[in-house]
Every structure is written in C-alpha cells, then in structure tokens.
Amino acid sequence: MQAIRVHQFGGPDVLRLEEAPDPQPGAGHVVVGVHATGVNPVETYIRAGGYAIKPPLPYTPGTDAAGVVEAVGDGVTTARVGERVYIYGTLSGAYAERALCKGTQVYPLPDHISFAQGAAIGVPYATAYRALLQKAGAQLGETVLVHGASGGVGIAAVQIAKAHGLTVIGTAGTPRGLKLLEEQGVGYVLDHHDPGYVSDALGATCGRGVDIVLEMLANVNLSKDLSLLAPRGRIVIIGSRGEATIDPRQAMSRDAIIYGMVLFNTPPDEMAQIHAALGTGLRDGTLQPVVGQEIPLAEAARAHQAVMEPGAYGKIVLVP
Ligand code: NAP
C-alpha cells in the first residue's frame, strides 16, 4: 500500500508518499481500507518535532479516517468485514491507504455520512463533545461562545451545542467562515478580527455574559474570555499557540473556572461514552461534518500548510 512516512521531524516537505507493507490483523485488530483521512493541526506540531508527543521515526501520521473494514482478527466484536466505519486512533497511522486499528478504535459510519465527512469526526467531534459536556458540563438553556467556530472543532461544537439546547455565539475570521456559521444556524455570528466583537458578544447576552467559552486560541483570547463570562462561567482551553496574561480577579469575581484539556488524556470509559453519543447524533442527523477541502494523499504537505492558514472552513481531508 501507499502511505505517508516521516523519516525526520521538520517542515511539511518531510511528509513523503512511499510504498509500505500492507497491515495484517493480529488478535483484536481491524484493517480498514481508508477512503479519506482527517488532517488535524496537532499533526503539524508533531511533524515539526516540537510537541509533547514525539513518535519514534519513521512513522505514518494521522488519527482520524473513514473507510471500509477489510479484515478482522480473532476476538473482534466491534466491526465486520465490509462495514463502513470511521476511526479514531490507529496502530499504524491514518495517512495511508490502509490502517491497522484496535477493535476499540473503529465506529460505525451511517450510510448518509460520506467517507470525507467520516474522516472529520474523530478528533474534532470528540474534542468538542468532551469540552462542552464532560468538562464545562453544559446545561440546557445556557449560552456558549465558540471562539473559533469555523474550523473542524468549532463546527462540531456548534452542532453539539445546538443539539443540547444551548444558545450559540460563534466567531470566524473571514466572510466565508462567517457565512458558514450563518448556514449552520448559529444564533450570533461575530468576526474575531472586528475590534467591537467582544462588546457585541456581551450585547448578545444583554450584558449578562456567556456561561461557557470554548477557546481555540487561548494565547490571543483568554483575557477577553474572562471579561465575557457570566457568574460561575467556565472556559475550556482547547487550543493555544503561546502564552497569555490574565487578571485573576476577573475569574475570582465570577467564581469562574478555567479548564485545560487534551483529548488524548480522556480515560477509555469516557471516550466510549463520547463515541456512543456521537453515533446517536450522526444517525439522527444532528451531527453533519463539514468538509471544506479534499486534497490527494500524495499532497499531504500541502494539507499541512493549508490547515495552519487563516480562513478555516470546516475540515481538510486527504483522499488516497
Ligand atoms: P482549524 O480547523 O484550523 O480551526 C481553527 C479555528 O480557529 C478557526 O475557526 C479559526 O478561524 C479560529 N481562529 C483563528 N484566529 C482566531 C482568533 N484570533 N480568535 C478565535 N479563533 C480564531 O483547527 P481545529 O481542528 O478546529 O482546532 C482548533 C485548535 O484546537 C487548534 O489549535 C488545535 O491544535 C486545537 N485542538 C486541541 C485539541 C485538544 O485536545 N486540546 C483537539 C483538537 C484541536 P478563522 O480561520 O476563520 O480565523
């Protein structure tokens, strides 16, 4: 099979398409023929070599994909040969024509969800679900600011929040991203580059503030987030690319909570709950991943450049 291999950490050009052995399933394993692979920002950090996770070289990147089960090992009860699945996590890497997974890393993909959409589920939807429900403990009727709502995690958060009866304020940084949020039914759509957007967000809550902020760029926004919070508000830091300065009194006066989270820290039982809930939302149509760009697997380097550029629009996926 063909797979992207990384032999040294560095820029996008270290992503090389090479011939690799076809994976063989051992006991408890599933081999998935990959039809589409999700590209997540974290894969660029890992590839650059500056992230906490440093896989042994050479490696094949990627956590998320969708495709069809080609083979199952002894003892697998979670998937059948020929079944459409999405995968969250692999043993062999998802930037490839085939992926070797544990039986617990594959989940059914409903027929009405395309493979490209299936590749957009794993990290983004699980992160959004964990942040909103398992961390912030969102309650019916609360208001959430999805700060960076036009990208992979943001769109997932919007859909999950709406399905749970929350009022959603969403931000994007381009006209195309703002239009996407309107199409997604976001109640209040704001441009995070507009100098007046913080007061507009407060105005959307009649000055009370938001109950929850899901933050995609905390180094830029954490201080603003605190000023936007209602009493007993919660901020979940999902993304940050540097340091931030805050006034702790902004948190004290509101009895606020700032959560940090990394999806990879999720315990297995809580991850199983997340995917069970996502499965329900995918089947009933409340969750509909948005794919903005499909790029050939051979051009993974271009995908890594694109995912770090401004102007997010849903998900970037690779197709073999
Ligand atoms: P993405 O698809 O590239 O989306 C990035 C989002 O951030 C876009 O909506 C973008 O909007 C927005 N953004 C850019 N500048 C912003 C600003 N000044 N204020 C607010 N938002 C801004 O990335 P993603 O996959 O959704 O991931 C988002 C972040 O979360 C990344 O940093 C990623 O590494 C991180 N993440 C963390 C976890 C975890 O476990 N903690 C899991 C998944 C992702 P425009 O492009 O329209 O400006």
Side-chain angles (χ1 to χ4, degrees):
M1 69 167 182
Q2 300 233 284
I4 296 291
R5 301 289 283 162
V6 174
H7 291 269
Q8 64 186 77
F9 297 111
D13 58 353
V14 302
L15 299 168
R16 303 261 170 81
L17 190 68
E18 294 179 0
E19 200 56 34
D22 277 324
Q24 303 300 325
H29 294 165
V30 176
V31 174
V32 176
V34 171
H35 289 235
T37 299
V39 176
N40 293 296
V42 70
E43 289 139 24
T44 72
Y45 319 151
I46 294 170
R47 185 216 68 227
Y51 194 63
I53 298 171
K54 259 193 166 182
L57 297 169
Y59 75 98
T60 294
T63 301
D64 298 339
V68 176
V69 174
E70 293 187 350
V72 296
D74 289 345
V76 171
T77 55
T78 50
R80 299 181 314 278
V81 172
E83 189 180 3
R84 299 172 90 250
V85 293
Y86 77 89
I87 65 183
Y88 166 71
T90 79
L91 298 166
S92 59
Y95 287 28
E97 290 178 320
R98 292 189 176 78
L100 181 68
C101 301
K102 294 185 211 165
T104 50
Q105 294 172 323
V106 301
Y107 303 93
L109 185 69
D111 287 343
H112 67 275
I113 307 283
S114 70
F115 290 119
Q117 288 177 299
I121 297 169
V123 168
Y125 277 76
T127 299
Y129 189 95
R130 182 157 180 78
L132 186 66
L133 295 160
Q134 293 183 336
K135 291 289 176 187
Q139 301 292 318
L140 191 67
E142 289 193 313
T143 299
V144 58
L145 168 65
V146 183
H147 218 163
S150 49
V153 178
I155 288 292
V158 164
Q159 295 176 359
I160 293 166
K162 285 181 62 199
H164 283 81
L166 278 86
T167 298
V168 182
I169 303 172
T171 77
T174 62
R176 191 165 169 253
L178 294 164
K179 186 160 178 286
L180 173 62
L181 299 190
E182 281 164 16
E183 289 163 1
Q184 289 287 315
V186 172
Y188 302 91
V189 175
L190 302 172
D191 181 342
H192 46 236
H193 300 309
D194 176 350
Y197 88 100
V198 171
S199 56
D200 290 347
L202 269 179
T205 63
C206 300
R208 178 180 167 272
V210 300
D211 300 292
I212 298 167
V213 179
L214 301 188
E215 182 52 62
M216 305 304 155
L217 201 57
N219 54 305
V220 173
N221 294 324
L222 192 56
S223 173
K224 282 182 271 188
D225 293 343
L226 280 167
S227 72
L228 277 167
L229 273 192
R232 291 174 297 285
R234 294 86 78 198
I235 297 168
V236 186
I237 301 175
I238 296 173
S240 186
R241 293 180 181 166
E243 297 182 355
T245 302
I246 61 165
D247 176 359
R249 284 190 171 154
Q250 297 257 32
M252 292 158 64
S253 61
R254 293 168 169 81
D255 276 23
I257 299 173
I258 302 174
Y259 292 98
M261 67 154 281
V262 169
L263 185 64
F264 300 136
N265 293 339
T266 308
D269 56 333
E270 293 179 36
M271 189 60 85
Q273 289 167 1
I274 291 172
H275 286 283
L278 296 181
T280 301
L282 291 166
R283 284 192 299 278
D284 72 18
T286 51
L287 304 184
Q288 297 198 28
V290 174
V291 176
Q293 224 180 326
E294 296 187 29
I295 294 177
L297 177 64
E299 298 174 39
R302 179 157 72 84
H304 271 212
Q305 282 162 339
V307 78
M308 296 304 282
E309 284 165 4
Y313 188 96
K315 194 75 199 162
I316 296 171
V317 305
L318 297 168
V319 283

